[in-house]
Amino acid sequence: MRVLELAHKGHLGIRVMKHRVREDFWLPGVDRANEHYVLDCYMSVLSGKSQVTYPSPVDPIEVKNVPWSKLAFDISGPFGVIGGAPKYALVMA
């Protein structure tokens, strides 16, 4: 389908392709058609942009009154660019 071909130009991934198609068109099963189109694209599969990502579930953590019984790590940033690369911080709580 020419619409999907044009939306996939540049191999920018499933999310961008879905957004491009939704801006101007509505088709039955358009999301599934986008996913199949990208999964069948050799260049997108090689670049890793054919993967559909889903947010990870957030589970509550049981809090104990014992120090250091549970550690949590996260990455925060970016905090600007130094030497051509963005800088991030590893945060522990």
Side-chain angles (χ1 to χ4, degrees):
M1 176 181 281
R2 182 79 174 140
V3 170
L4 298 178
E5 180 184 334
L6 291 172
H8 189 59
K9 188 175 183 177
H11 306 279
L12 298 176
I14 291 174
R15 252 188 313 193
V16 174
M17 185 175 172
K18 285 181 181 180
H19 177 72
R20 285 180 174 177
V21 171
R22 288 178 187 155
E23 283 180 338
D24 298 315
F25 299 98
W26 182 87
L27 306 165
V30 69
D31 287 343
R32 183 170 294 154
N34 283 320
E35 291 168 10
H36 286 294
Y37 191 92
V38 174
L39 291 172
D40 290 339
C41 174
Y42 180 73
M43 292 302 293
S44 292
V45 171
L46 280 181
S47 68
K49 294 182 180 177
S50 64
Q51 300 172 1
V52 179
T53 58
Y54 300 97
S56 61
V58 178
D59 296 324
I61 299 173
E62 179 184 339
V63 179
K64 297 180 182 179
N65 291 330
V66 180
W68 298 100
S69 63
K70 190 92 169 184
L71 293 177
F73 293 91
D74 199 359
I75 297 173
S76 183
F79 295 108
V81 177
I82 300 173
K87 298 299 175 187
Y88 295 86
L90 180 63
V91 180
M92 180 179 76

